[in-house]
Amino acid sequence: MYFSSLLRKNCPLRAVFIPYIGFYPPNFERMNLFSIFAAGFSILTKNKMIKNFKGTALLMGICLMSGLAYSSSAWASGSHHAMSVEQQKQTVKGVVNDNYGSVIGASVIEKGNPTNGVITDFDGNFEISVNPGATIVVSYIGYKSQEIAINGQTELNILLESDAQDLEEVVVVGYGVQKKKLVTGATVQVKGDDIAKLNTTSALTALQGQTPGVNITASNGQPGEGFKVNIRGLGTIGDSEPLYVIDGVAGGDINTLNPADIETIDVLKDAASAAIYGSRAANGVILVTTKQGKSGKISISYDGYVGVQNAYKMPQLLSAQQMMALTDESRYMEGIPVLDWKTQLGERVYNMVQNGWQGSNFLEEIRVKNAITHNHALNLAGGTDLSKFSAGFSYTKQDGIFGKPVASTYNRYTARLNSSHVLIKGKEHDILRFGENLTFYYSTKTGIAQVMNGYNDIQNAIDAMPILPIYNVNGGLYSQADKEADGWIYSNEEPNPIMAMVNETGNNLNRSYGLNATAYMDFEPIKGLRYHTSFSYKNTSTTDRSLTVPYTASTNKTSDSYTVIQSSSVGHKIAFENTLTYIMPTMGKWNLEFIIGQSFEKTTIGEDLSVKNSALNGTQLPTMQGDMDHAWITNTANALNGTTISGKPWPDWSLLSFFGRWNVNYNEKYMATFIIRADGSSNFARGHRWGTFPSVSAGWVISSEKFMEKTRSWLDFLKLRASWGKNGNQNISNFQYLSPVAFDPSSVYNFGQTILNTTGTKNIGAYATTLANEDVTWETSQQLDLGIDARFINGRLGLAFDWYNKTTKDWLLQAPILDTAGTGAPFINGGDVENKGFEVAFSWNDQIGNDFRYGVNLNLSYNKNEVKRIANPEGIIHGDAGVLSKTSNEFYRAQVGYPIGYFWGYQTAGIFQDQTDIDNWIAAGNGLATSNPRPGDIIYVDANHDGKIDENDKTMIGDPNPDFRLGFGLNMNYKGFDFGLTATGAFGHQIYFGYRKNTTYALDRWHGEGTSNRYGVAVLSDDVTNLNLENADYLRIQNITLGYDFKQLVPKMPFSKARLYVSAQNLFTFTSYKGLDPEVGFGGNNLYGQGNSWMTGVDLGSYPSPRTFLVGINLSY
Amino acid sequence: MNTKIFKYAAAALMAISLTACEDWMDTESYTESNTANFPTSIKDADMLVTAIYANLNHAASQPISSYYLISEIASDDRFGGATIEDPSMVAIDHMMVSTDTQFDFLWKIHYRGIYRANTAIEGITRLLETANDKELANQLLGESYFLRAYYYYELAEMFGGVPLITTTTEEINAPRAEADVVYAQIGSDLVNAISLMSNKKYNEYVEAGHATKWAAEALLARVFLFYTGFYQKESMPLADGKSLSKNEVISYVDDCVQNSGHSLVGDFRNLWTYTNEYTVNDYAYTKGVTGIDGNPLLWAGNSNAEEVFAVKFMNFCGYTYPYQEGYSNYYVPFFGFKGTNGGENTFPFGNGNGFGPVVPDLWDEWLSSEPNDLRRQASILRIEDEMDMSQFIASSVTGQYEETGLYGKKMMPVLSYVAYQKQGTWVNSIFWAAYPGFDKANNYGMTQWGGHFQDLMIIRFADVLLMQSELKDDAEGMNKVRARAGLPAVNYSLEALQRERRHELCFEGLRWGDIRRWHIAETALKSQDNTTMQNAGKTVVQRDGRYQARYTATNGFFPVPLAQIQLSNGVLTQNPGWESADARYARWDFE
């Protein structure tokens, strides 16, 4: 559907707009729906009569729908009748009012004859011709529909009743639920249906863009990979993930659920709401509720889809000739003789290049076209008043779009059974109820390396030399032996990356499975007083295997043995919770609700076991056949070689908590909530264990006040909210209050006469890993939130706005200490971080006629992150070195006055084009990066103007944290059709773009005066400059779905729903970013594969998200 | 009303529960101890001491920020080398830096060793009274003092006065102590170590690799010579306010020479890995050669009688733990040939990073002053003498900078045909497969880097003999060293001793300290000028390496890490000569 053509065809738009809006947009005919809404809003700001606005909106809506006519006595006189009216019919006139006056645009339709309908005019009047004895249906969004039998009446006076149903809906607030309109904190709810209909493997992908203030970034696009999630900005460089609470049990993993199992997701964003989770709520709380049973006939639904995925963007890599030319050019610029390529490559390869071979494209070679993804979910629900159940089973498979022939793949199986049973039933309520929630998941994952510089198969494929053949003359992978046979001597340490991937990095299998089981009992002796007790057990298990097969890809990249790593990990956690809730009978207009509770959580002894062993090629057992099926330790175990073994317990941890909440409201007009929670955590020393986390919030429904009566014609609901709360974060490893003495193989020594010692376990040393800090205690975050919730125009327009200021105090961090300390820094409560921002969400839901419903929502969030204090003299937490290359320096940090994880490096100011530029630069007193500068050198900014370029000139050159995030959704339903579109975007951030030099972007270099003012000739150091960063603003059309429910076509079919849909995911990404994907959650890992969770936006070759086209069905019975 | 009751009830409930439940939250680590309950036995103490030694390996994990490599390159015997991508050592050769972080690791890892030594000293001191085996406890305590002194000595030589931290509890943001104070502590620690450690022969009480009384005596002599030479003092202060005279040091050295059990190995060439059993008969230079001792040449191996103190390596190089690379002797491949040299064509020497090309002046001076000295060719590889130059891959291809055609043999990767046949490719170390006990699977397939296990000699007995001569102004020790090289005895003179030390000990990390303490650094360094060399195939003549100016500006001390100065809030101060623009190397421009 193309809106502007509809507009042109059907609407006398000039006639509409000029009288009612008072202006005529010059390019109206080309305006899209969105700009029309923008125009509509501009009317509000111009203080035009709201009535006009309503009329305009109405008219626009009408015109958008080609099939519907506009019929109104006021308008009709100057306009048209599109619908033919049969003469024998009876004409009925009427007026539709609500409590505040006439209702404009209500639909009046003859029942059973949906094509016969009109819409009320600006005074609420309508006129319709109907068959005698007909019934008309009067409906309007935000009101309850009415059916009126005509029975010969000719004049009707219809009063519509408001149907503010969604405000009466409840949201989950932690240890209970609350009516949406009474909520005083900043929470957001997303319905499971809205998640499931996006058909994503992970619910988090679907949440992107639907929850302003919740910042979700995929680590990378490989199937089964994780996400980085923060709510309202990074509050810490420790664990900044929100707390997930699944069916009341804290600490779950949302990725282990099939989206079809989810009933709702509620996010507690402000500290006051989250305070009920006290010590773990500093980063916000995400409450996931799975589907519960419903009484009635058993309903069965099946959701399934199958799709194909493809990389939507491939980098333009250099050809063999381009790479050779650039290599020669840089040598020439350095005054070094250019290479004799014939000697370098050997005769055969050299001749290939001479004969026009463009070189290898390794990335293209490992690309998988049309990778399959499919998903099947079966849900059952049903029961009686006494016993209800809900069960779900699902299978999901997602293949990766890279890594051929060892491409990544992800499989997930889930099973869920929730049931509840009333044991004693009272007259009005259930007195004793018992229930359980049970979920089990099992997933398998194989993937290619995405770990760190050099251990990243996408990066290796991009970085590989195009002049290196992929295959040898026999069709095998081109190896070191082939190089030697060809007489190849150039960069002998550079391997064929596919050979390394196939034999080493791509051979792995991870299985994880887990069980979450909760049994609960509710005892409600008198109505309103309920005791709830629950016991949960959680099991989390993983097993991993990986295999390296003997190969020699280069002098450097080789293995002479079969190496198997086999590890497993099993953890157990229990939680025991008791709450007592009392909802008092209403006293006059006062409503009161109390809850007090206790919770105890503990990880019991979990186990990690890991074994690695190798068999030198030739010594392996016959059962070691070089594939994953045979990758077992036993198959290498005829000789112990390079063996490492570790078996250790999971850290012991427990948390004991007491909490209470008091909700009070007067006439649902003035509300207040007080929460207090006290937590004791085993992560701290006695005396420092207990933290108390209070919060207070209040709301005022102004629209219920008498003095707001005037505005009721257009303002349905307006609530002001204010909240303040304090939350905690106890998430550090245990025993930081002591100086732990470790005995690990990192500190061993080879005493003795022996030449060799083939194990790493002889003479293990003992050393103190960190200095102790007995005083270490909670990190607390305090947050002030001011918000508005409003509904306008009979609930069609919704607005939610929040402003917040979140300050993390006593930030738990390992502030760098002087090296003279000689060991690791202790955790201290040593810093403050501030996140300030706002979130605004608009929604518009309307219907036109009886059949066409549509909704638009738009949300925008802004966050500014600033470190306020770090308790050491320099005020800096340093990022890792060795991330970008083995010898690269630190290039990001957390520092007072800057956002966490900003990019730190040299600012550049173009290129010296000629000697005059250089002379002028020096004359201005600026320092130089090189002692004998030449044209073509990059100009480093001498930030402190001290005549030299050194570390002191490094400054903030970028920030990987977006300033703004945007979410947009559009949905339309017409008869059996539904259409949905979602988009997300992030703006104002930068990404480290790590592979420019291997792409054709490298050709945009300086190679003579005036050829470039951005990229210079060879750069000496590994230092990062602003030239390595790219703006990564993007807007992604995340999902477009078009569905049709065949129930509409064949009403007699046995299904209640039979929807077929097609969907495109990740269809377009509007971005100027040059890399494969502007969504880069990876923050870089150091030489040991360790990274900082607080860093993002380092693209060394990040596995991109696929573009997916899929087709699916939803069947309900 | 209700609220009040609720609040009181909640408060009461909490108060009761909090105290009762505190026990529920006590946790225990089942795999780690802590400093409050460790050490409790000699075995524990032994582990604390082991961790100080392990730090020696860790310190080797980043050669470009190490005492040994930096001393080598800064001296007049080696240029920086490497390639244009790797400018840090060219910079060091000229007393410049290419990055402000050059010394970060060195500084940090030394203080890490010191902290571990402090932890051990405190822990063992606590145990001493109750220990059953007092001799062993004293030995371990002595080793801890030795190692602390060793770490402080390297720091003091490189930076001058440094913050002096001698307990695990004191303020760490300490200003730099005066050099005298640091040397006094080093002296006292060594004197303590000597008195605590066993009198038994070097190989009779402790396993190889442990510091001994004899190593402490030798190190004390080295420190004494540097301190009194560089600072031009007669004696060395001690921490208790007393001082250490030259005669006392001589008696320590005499004790070491007479009682340690150490001796020179039979032939100088047997000290170096190219004479190992798998290589010696395939290398034209050593094949069929009879040594000075009348036996065929054969590597004396690790932990030989001449090794007074050394860093030991093992088959545990990798990336699983921080600094784990240092379990291989990482220095060795840094000196290997650049690029694809290092196979059949350059047998028996392997490839690597091309650091530290040897300065031709060393060869020339040696040739003219001591033409019959076998140690010249035993120590220096002159490729045009030993290789088929038509097969040698030129620096224009390898990108090698400052190529002089001379390489140091003592620390080159060594190849063997046995290893080649086992592996099917030229691997960089005799240890790869040649030695049956070796399994490289532990080393991440690091064929170039993971398999170097020759000890890094810190103190060699020949050095002790030469120090003895120098301290006593007599030729006795020196002539023993000369005799082992097949050279006639000479009379003692400082010049003769200086020459002897340079020839005997070149490429062993000692030359830089020697030329500084003898105050001949400026002239010695100048000898590197007017050298013709190849920079990635471009023939250049280094006319002025600015050695003299830079040495004068810095007095041979290196910069304190900038990040540490900033972190100290200005408590730490920078050494002279490192804050000016000319301290910064950016491009080779010494023509």
Side-chain angles (χ1 to χ4, degrees), chain A residues 331 596 642 686 741 758 948 1020, chain B residues 6 26 33 396 437 439 579 586:
Chain A
R331 294 179 74 95
I596 56 168
R686 280 191 175 216
V741 174
T758 54
K948 55 177 180 163
L1020 269 184
Chain B
F6 163 75
D26 287 338
S33 288
S396 58
D439 153 50
E579 285 176 316

Side-chain angles (χ1 to χ4, degrees), chain A residues 331 336 344 555 596 642 656 680 686 689 741 745-746 749-750 752 758 766 819-820 886 932 948 951 1020 1088, chain B residues 6 21 23 25-26 33 47 58 100 172 208 312-313 316 319 323 327 396-397 437 439 447 536 564 579 586-587:
Chain A
R331 294 179 74 95
I336 302 167
Q344 295 284 325
T555 53
I596 56 168
L656 179 63
R686 280 191 175 216
R689 272 178 187 163
V741 174
S746 74
Y749 202 71
N750 182 24
T758 54
D819 288 341
T820 40
K886 242 183 127 169
N932 59 343
K948 55 177 180 163
E951 298 277 289
L1020 269 184
Y1088 310 100
Chain B
F6 163 75
C21 302
D23 291 348
M25 281 177 296
D26 287 338
S33 288
M47 293 180 90
H58 300 166
D100 284 334
I172 54 170
K312 301 186 74 67
F313 299 90
F316 190 53
Y319 285 116
Y323 322 128
Y327 286 101
S396 58
V397 175
D439 153 50
T447 50
Q564 292 297 306
E579 285 176 316
R587 178 172 282 150

Side-chain angles (χ1 to χ4, degrees), chain B residues 533-578:
Chain B
M533 54 177 79
Q534 302 275 317
N535 283 344
K538 183 181 175 186
T539 303
V540 294
V541 180
Q542 174 171 296
R543 299 275 175 218
D544 178 14
R546 290 173 229 145
Y547 295 105
Q548 197 169 353
R550 291 298 302 150
Y551 191 85
T552 308
T554 60
N555 209 12
F557 291 118
F558 291 103
V560 174
L562 187 63
Q564 292 297 306
I565 293 174
Q566 286 167 347
L567 191 55
S568 76
N569 216 8
V571 171
L572 283 178
T573 51
Q574 188 52 282
N575 279 327
W578 290 101

Side-chain angles (χ1 to χ4, degrees), chain A residues 3 31-41 856-858 966 968-969:
Chain A
F3 293 112
M31 282 168 76
N32 57 23
L33 185 68
F34 194 76
S35 17
I36 295 172
F37 277 109
F41 285 116
V856 181
N857 59 70
L858 172 71
L966 179 87
F968 174 77

Side-chain angles (χ1 to χ4, degrees), chain A residues 664-834:
Chain A
V664 56
N665 76 68
Y666 177 77
N667 200 21
E668 300 200 339
K669 189 152 74 176
Y670 309 104
M671 295 86 75
T673 300
F674 304 89
I675 296 173
I676 188 161
R677 174 154 173 152
D679 285 306
S681 167
S682 64
N683 286 350
F684 307 107
R686 280 191 175 216
H688 303 276
R689 272 178 187 163
W690 286 91
T692 307
F693 307 99
S695 88
V696 55
S697 57
W700 177 25
V701 182
I702 304 187
S703 54
S704 299
E705 294 288 354
K706 272 222 165 68
F707 61 79
M708 293 295 282
E709 270 177 8
K710 304 193 280 287
T711 63
R712 263 174 218 169
S713 61
W714 55 275
L715 176 65
D716 310 299
F717 179 77
L718 175 65
K719 178 172 69 179
L720 301 186
R721 293 183 274 108
S723 79
W724 175 89
K726 199 169 139 182
N727 298 153
N729 186 356
Q730 51 92 49
N731 224 345
I732 55 170
S733 42
N734 205 344
F735 306 117
Q736 295 298 327
Y737 52 89
L738 300 170
S739 184
V741 174
F743 321 95
D744 60 47
S746 74
S747 286
V748 290
Y749 202 71
N750 182 24
F751 295 112
Q753 292 286 345
T754 49
I755 293 166
L756 298 174
N757 182 359
T758 54
T759 72
T761 49
K762 193 184 177 197
N763 291 96
I764 284 202
Y767 64 100
T769 53
T770 53
L771 296 177
N773 178 12
E774 199 182 325
D775 297 333
V776 69
T777 186
W778 307 94
E779 173 176 299
T780 57
S781 92
Q782 293 184 24
Q783 191 180 165
L784 182 66
D785 182 290
L786 301 175
I788 298 170
D789 293 326
R791 299 300 175 101
F792 303 90
I793 328 171
N794 297 312
R796 281 175 293 179
L797 175 66
L799 166 71
F801 175 84
D802 276 280
W803 171 91
Y804 61 86
N805 184 347
K806 177 169 85 168
T807 307
T808 306
K809 290 195 188 291
D810 301 326
W811 184 10
L812 273 171
L813 55 87
Q814 277 179 297
I817 49 173
L818 284 156
D819 288 341
T820 40
T823 187
F827 269 92
I828 57 169
N829 294 101
D832 299 338
V833 196
E834 184 183 80

Side-chain angles (χ1 to χ4, degrees), chain B residues 301-371:
Chain B
N302 288 333
S303 314
N304 57 54
E306 193 163 338
E307 186 178 293
V308 180
F309 187 66
V311 178
K312 301 186 74 67
F313 299 90
M314 63 195 286
N315 182 20
F316 190 53
C317 178
Y319 285 116
T320 307
Y321 302 99
Y323 322 128
Q324 196 187 340
E325 305 97 302
Y327 286 101
S328 167
N329 188 338
Y330 243 39
Y331 301 105
V332 172
F334 270 77
F335 294 118
F337 293 116
K338 194 67 200 164
T340 45
N341 284 317
E344 179 83 55
N345 305 335
T346 57
F347 186 88
F349 298 106
N351 77 357
N353 276 2
F355 278 36
V358 173
V359 175
D361 179 68
L362 173 62
W363 178 272
D364 298 341
E365 176 275 325
W366 205 331
L367 189 63
S368 66
S369 67
E370 198 96 72

Side-chain angles (χ1 to χ4, degrees), chain B residues 236-430:
Chain B
M236 195 170 116
L238 291 174
D240 57 8
K242 295 184 188 144
S243 70
L244 193 67
S245 70
K246 190 173 187 174
N247 283 335
E248 288 172 274
V249 176
I250 288 171
S251 64
Y252 284 132
V253 174
D254 286 345
D255 184 34
C256 177
V257 170
Q258 288 153 25
N259 302 320
S260 66
H262 286 295
S263 61
L264 298 176
V265 303
D267 188 283
F268 180 78
R269 290 160 290 198
N270 292 346
L271 289 163
W272 316 112
T273 43
Y274 59 77
T275 53
N276 80 82
E277 57 185 306
Y278 299 106
T279 305
V280 68
N281 292 323
D282 294 318
Y283 179 23
Y285 170 67
T286 54
K287 188 176 182 178
V289 174
T290 303
I292 294 291
D293 58 355
N295 297 320
L297 293 183
L298 185 65
W299 183 39
N302 288 333
S303 314
N304 57 54
E306 193 163 338
E307 186 178 293
V308 180
F309 187 66
V311 178
K312 301 186 74 67
F313 299 90
M314 63 195 286
N315 182 20
F316 190 53
C317 178
Y319 285 116
T320 307
Y321 302 99
Y323 322 128
Q324 196 187 340
E325 305 97 302
Y327 286 101
S328 167
N329 188 338
Y330 243 39
Y331 301 105
V332 172
F334 270 77
F335 294 118
F337 293 116
K338 194 67 200 164
T340 45
N341 284 317
E344 179 83 55
N345 305 335
T346 57
F347 186 88
F349 298 106
N351 77 357
N353 276 2
F355 278 36
V358 173
V359 175
D361 179 68
L362 173 62
W363 178 272
D364 298 341
E365 176 275 325
W366 205 331
L367 189 63
S368 66
S369 67
E370 198 96 72
N372 301 322
D373 189 348
L374 65 85
R375 292 174 301 181
R376 188 182 73 250
Q377 218 193 331
S379 306
I380 303 174
L381 167 67
R382 191 162 179 252
I383 51 172
E384 64 184 79
D385 292 351
E386 298 194 28
M387 313 271 151
D388 174 357
M389 288 309 286
S390 70
Q391 296 297 308
F392 192 83
I393 296 165
S395 76
S396 58
V397 175
T398 59
Q400 171 77 49
Y401 260 55
E402 304 188 325
E403 152 84 57
T404 60
L406 300 174
Y407 292 81
K409 282 183 185 174
K410 292 180 176 178
M411 291 291 277
M412 280 283 273
V414 169
L415 309 173
S416 82
Y417 282 100
V418 176
Y420 176 75
Q421 279 147 15
K422 276 197 183 177
Q423 295 295 306
T425 177
W426 282 106
V427 284
N428 254 332
S429 159
I430 48 165

